[in-house]
Amino acid sequence: VFGGKYTGCWLLAMSEEGTNETELVVDISALSWVNMLLASLWPKANAALIKYVHEELTPRLQEALPAPFRSVYFSRFTLGKGVPELGPVEVMRRSERHVQVELDMRYSSNV
């Protein structure tokens, strides 16, 4: 949909009768479309968070601090231009009641 490339892999390992092995179903995805969406939203999220920190968080922080520290403020706040990269994600169904999700995330900030 977003032009991202889906790389998926399904692995199904069934237990044989009479063994104690459990069923294992694995799906691995690169999450290219999520990274593309995150990259387009990152500047807007950064702007919204900057506004929140200066207009909402700083006044609350100043009110909560003891009098000598109430002049504390953030002179500059930003998430930076580096966008986190997610994936691959690996989802494993180990049984009917056990699903395991492993998600890699890489983030290099320029701040």
Side-chain angles (χ1 to χ4, degrees):
V1 174
F2 293 97
K5 187 166 135 186
Y6 174 81
T7 55
C9 172
W10 280 93
L11 171 65
L12 175 61
M14 302 286 293
S15 63
E16 294 182 26
E17 285 188 44
T19 66
N20 290 332
E21 294 178 36
T22 58
E23 175 186 48
L24 175 62
V25 178
V26 179
D27 180 26
I28 302 171
S29 176
L31 296 180
S32 300
W33 68 272
V34 173
N35 290 321
M36 202 164 163
L37 182 61
L38 186 58
S40 67
L41 293 175
W42 194 253
K44 294 170 182 67
N46 187 41
L49 195 54
I50 289 169
K51 182 178 178 181
Y52 172 78
V53 166
H54 289 297
E55 295 178 9
E56 305 269 339
L57 183 64
T58 300
R60 287 183 189 177
L61 181 62
Q62 290 170 335
E63 288 174 14
L65 290 172
F69 301 105
R70 289 195 177 147
S71 62
V72 169
Y73 66 96
F74 295 94
S75 60
R76 180 175 166 255
F77 181 89
T78 181
L79 293 175
K81 294 185 182 194
V83 180
E85 185 179 331
L86 302 174
V89 63
E90 186 173 354
V91 181
M92 293 168 278
R93 185 177 64 181
R94 300 200 177 266
S95 70
E96 288 297 316
R97 300 180 69 198
H98 180 189
V99 174
Q100 179 177 331
V101 178
E102 294 181 10
L103 173 65
D104 289 348
M105 183 176 105
R106 288 165 299 286
Y107 178 60
S108 297
S109 175
N110 63 341
V111 182

